[in-house]
Amino acid sequence: MSALPVAPPAASAETEPGPLALARTVASRVATTCLVELQKLRHDRTELVTRAVQPALWLLVFGQVFTRIRAIPTGSTPYLDFLAPGILAQSALFIAIFYGIQIIWERDAGVLAKLLVTPTPRIALVGAKAFAAGVRAVAQAVVVLVLALILGVHLETNPFKIILLVVALLLGSAFFCCLSITIAGLVLSRDRLMGIGQAITMPLFFASNALYPVELMPGWLQVINHINPLSYEVEALRGLLVGTSARLPLDFGVLFASAAVMIAIASALLPRLARG
Amino acid sequence: MTPALRCVGLRQKFGDTVAVDGLDLEVERGEVFGLLGPNGAGKTTTIRMITTLLPAPPGAIQVMGRDVARQRTAVRRLIGYVPQQLSADGTLTGRENVALFARLYDVPRAARAAQVAAVLDAMDLTEVADRPSKTYSGGMVRRLELAQALVSAPQLLILDEPTVGLDPVARDGVWDRIAAIRAATGMTVLVTTHAMQEADEHCERVALMHRGRIRAQGSPGELKDALGPDATLDDVFRHHTGNALTGDNENGGMRDVRAARRTARRVG
Ligand SMILES: Nc1ncnc2c1ncn2[C@@H]1O[C@H](COP(=O)(O)OP(=O)(O)OP(=O)(O)O)[C@@H](O)[C@H]1O
Ligand SMILES: [Mg+2]
């Protein structure tokens, strides 16, 4: 027992941390969470496969059928190429939304309390979750992209574009993860969140350009499409992956701003979640 | 020297339920202190206020002389906390679970691996350290959680019902570890329980809590002697509350049953 660590000389931080210390803590916690996420993935690789089933079905069934019947005009781009980035964004969306459900479960199991009692500012905790969702999404994206390649989708291999693709996935996942945490912080119960989670993910998906070009949408849907961050994510992914026209600065601007705002809102609601 | 923990006039309401109702408490440095009370007495709520999970007004709670409301981050660094539910991450190994908390408490990289190994060893988990913790028994998960709480070398260790749901052997295992930790580090330990017998055996001082208030306080011996020659701590409790020890609050009971089930599902 003598090997047990003994309390360090007077705890270093006696005052509340300033902005610099805060930034350092956020970076350190994000790195920690990222590591833990990879450890979990390593222990449970089957999850990567089970989560790939749905996007695979979309690409195989929906994609193949609609390519053949040419029901959705996508110009010179084959429909399957058009669809692949949309399905990529969809699988990232589902993973991210799941994180909000997970945080309620973590609260019920006492895990959230244990995390909140560590010297970790709320915003670092939420930021870390958001990043973790992104890490999962990127890992999943590799699987979906391999699948797309097998199906004969022509993908860009420019490393710079791949990096931008990863950034777009991280930002999009951060937004939806924090959206889900925010809803969790408002409804406080897992059952209600499950219902709401399902009630918003599909509309978010259908009210985006993931499956069809914006021009085909009725006017009211186009309006929703314009305020739906998923559409900007899809546009960026599509531009980067298959080279369709994309307003990349606008897309990344919207994704960055919406992620930042959502992280702030989710952080503000976290104490409510822990209390409830 | 300031006490390890001082609470003055602590109060917490949830809607119409008064969970903590003017609680005063002082825990001396280096003692094993038991906060006792039936389901719904307000033990967990009190602990959630001490651990900064619920807001407390300035001046109401001090940990090692630091105000919980004003020096939150400093207080968090001083505390090790094991919640009532079994809360280890089942998909991670024991070692990964502990290493995570070493990182969250900013244990320097150079010392990290050794410190993680040391607490795992102290909790007799070295052999199973690289197995996913979902394969652990309830007693092992509790010891893993103790290891998680200890890796940052806290000065005040707070355990919420650490032996609930464990078999007698596992229960003794946890109490033995608590005694050993205290002997090795001189750490202050605040532990809640509704098992009067266990508290009698293992705590130096206890406070009897009922409906949000402390009804009596002292060493188990003092409290029993004051009542009569053959009194047990159970008798002392009944004497001070005029109430049976079984849950006097259905809500509290139900929430716990549900939480325990969820935990069981998760760990199992
Ligand atoms: N988040 C909450 N919302 C509403 N009521 C709550 C909440 N937390 C606790 N309560 C209520 O406050 C009272 C005290 O609960 P608390 O959990 O602190 O008791 P306890 O002594 O820890 O009991 P147990 O032995 O069952 O763990 C109970 O009546 C409980 O129903
Ligand atoms: Mg309790």
Side-chain angles (χ1 to χ4, degrees):
Chain A
M1 285 296 292
S2 55
L4 269 185
V6 179
S12 48
E14 287 297 314
T15 51
E16 289 305 293
L20 203 71
L22 185 73
R24 216 178 310 132
T25 310
V26 172
S28 147
R29 297 299 185 267
V30 165
T32 297
T33 315
C34 180
L35 179 82
V36 168
E37 214 55 40
L38 293 175
Q39 286 172 339
K40 286 189 191 174
L41 267 180
R42 193 158 49 87
H43 293 306
D44 191 10
R45 279 182 217 131
T46 51
E47 193 186 302
L48 274 180
V49 179
T50 45
R51 276 187 185 279
V53 171
Q54 209 179 12
L57 284 178
W58 276 97
L59 287 176
L60 276 169
V61 181
F62 196 86
Q64 303 276 37
V65 169
F66 278 72
T67 302
R68 206 150 301 157
I69 63 177
R70 294 177 209 286
I72 300 176
T74 48
S76 55
T77 318
Y79 182 66
L80 200 60
D81 293 22
F82 178 88
L83 180 67
I87 298 305
L88 197 61
Q90 182 210 40
S91 77
L93 167 72
F94 286 3
I95 289 173
I97 294 286
F98 175 74
Y99 270 78
I101 297 168
Q102 194 193 36
I103 208 166
I104 290 217
W105 175 68
E106 289 188 348
R107 181 208 52 191
D108 293 340
V111 178
L112 185 61
K114 249 164 54 169
L115 294 175
L116 287 169
V117 168
T118 68
T120 302
R122 274 49 179 154
I123 194 150
L125 216 67
V126 171
K129 284 265 168 215
F131 195 75
V135 171
R136 285 259 169 169
V138 171
Q140 198 63 59
V142 176
V143 179
V144 175
L145 287 180
V146 168
L147 207 74
L149 274 177
I150 295 171
L151 292 176
V153 174
H154 313 280
L155 296 175
E156 285 277 353
T157 48
N158 178 336
F160 179 65
K161 288 190 175 171
I162 299 292
I163 291 172
L164 282 181
L165 173 97
V166 169
V167 174
L169 277 174
L170 289 178
L171 289 174
S173 303
F175 172 80
F176 290 112
C177 167
C178 291
L179 174 69
S180 177
I181 294 177
T182 299
I183 298 172
L186 292 174
V187 304
L188 299 178
S189 106
R190 191 163 36 158
D191 302 337
R192 267 177 284 172
L193 182 65
M194 292 281 249
I196 293 178
Q198 258 151 27
I200 62 165
T201 37
M202 285 328 261
L204 274 171
F205 177 53
F206 286 118
S208 78
N209 51 359
L211 295 179
Y212 22 75
V214 188
E215 304 82 58
L216 293 187
M217 298 179 186
W220 61 270
L221 198 55
Q222 290 201 12
V223 175
I224 301 179
N225 171 69
H226 278 301
I227 54 170
N228 184 356
L230 187 66
S231 296
Y232 296 88
E233 187 181 343
V234 173
E235 185 177 285
L237 295 183
R238 196 169 277 148
L240 293 165
L241 270 179
V242 294
T244 51
S245 79
R247 304 156 293 176
L248 287 183
L250 173 72
D251 295 335
F252 277 92
V254 169
L255 285 175
F256 184 81
S258 54
V261 169
M262 219 57 217
I263 288 177
I265 297 176
S267 307
L269 277 167
L270 201 61
R272 188 182 134 88
L273 190 62
R275 225 172 288 162
Chain B
M1 195 127 95
T2 51
L5 172 68
R6 176 186 280 149
C7 301
V8 184
L10 217 55
R11 261 166 234 288
Q12 182 71 46
K13 273 170 75 169
F14 296 105
D16 290 336
T17 317
V18 182
V20 180
D21 187 13
L23 175 133
D24 298 315
L25 195 66
E26 235 178 74
V27 177
E28 296 304 327
R29 292 194 186 212
E31 68 180 345
V32 176
F33 189 97
L35 183 60
L36 316 187
N39 291 141
K43 305 179 297 290
T44 298
T45 307
T46 304
I47 282 185
R48 278 150 58 83
M49 294 179 82
I50 298 167
T51 51
T52 74
L53 288 169
L54 288 170
I61 308 176
Q62 286 176 346
V63 174
M64 305 287 165
R66 282 124 181 131
D67 192 291
V68 165
R70 294 202 190 91
Q71 291 163 283
R72 224 188 257 209
T73 310
V75 166
R76 287 188 186 138
R77 284 190 192 282
L78 296 171
I79 291 178
Y81 169 56
V82 178
Q84 190 165 343
Q85 307 95 314
L86 296 177
S87 60
D89 193 318
T91 49
L92 296 179
T93 66
R95 193 184 306 280
E96 286 165 347
N97 265 298
V98 179
L100 166 62
F101 277 79
R103 289 198 178 82
L104 292 176
Y105 280 95
D106 302 302
V107 173
R109 179 197 295 268
R112 212 184 286 146
Q115 213 149 310
V116 169
V119 291
L120 281 167
D121 196 43
M123 294 300 119
D124 282 331
L125 291 169
T126 305
E127 270 173 42
V128 294
D130 296 307
R131 260 168 45 186
S133 66
K134 66 179 165 222
T135 65
Y136 289 13
S137 69
M140 287 157 83
V141 173
R142 261 286 115 101
R143 284 188 272 135
L144 175 59
E145 292 189 302
L146 279 171
Q148 286 182 300
L150 287 171
V151 74
S152 58
Q155 296 188 25
L156 174 62
L157 182 61
I158 300 182
L159 314 171
D160 197 356
E161 310 241 11
T163 58
V164 80
L166 301 186
D167 66 41
V169 176
R171 242 179 264 169
D172 285 345
V174 168
W175 283 114
D176 290 348
R177 291 328 181 291
I178 293 172
I181 292 162
R182 212 273 305 268
T185 63
M187 201 176 281
T188 311
V189 182
L190 171 65
V191 48
T192 76
T193 178
H194 54 243
M196 299 291 157
Q197 175 89 49
E198 291 180 31
D200 193 354
E201 272 175 53
H202 303 286
C203 299
E204 283 147 297
R205 284 203 309 139
V206 297
L208 306 186
M209 187 172 187
H210 183 56
R211 301 214 167 125
R213 289 181 188 220
I214 303 296
R215 306 297 166 129
Q217 205 172 146
S219 75
E222 278 165 25
L223 291 172
K224 289 186 293 186
D225 289 348
L227 201 63
D230 295 323
T232 65
L233 214 46
D234 278 302
D235 300 331
V236 175
F237 194 85
R238 288 205 186 86
H239 174 77
H240 286 284
T241 61
N243 202 304
L245 276 175
T246 40
D248 65 346
N249 185 308
E250 288 306 313
N251 283 339
M254 274 309 291
R255 273 190 311 112
D256 273 356
V257 171
R258 266 187 281 138
R261 267 201 218 120
R262 272 187 221 112
T263 309
R265 204 180 305 146
R266 154 158 228 250
V267 176

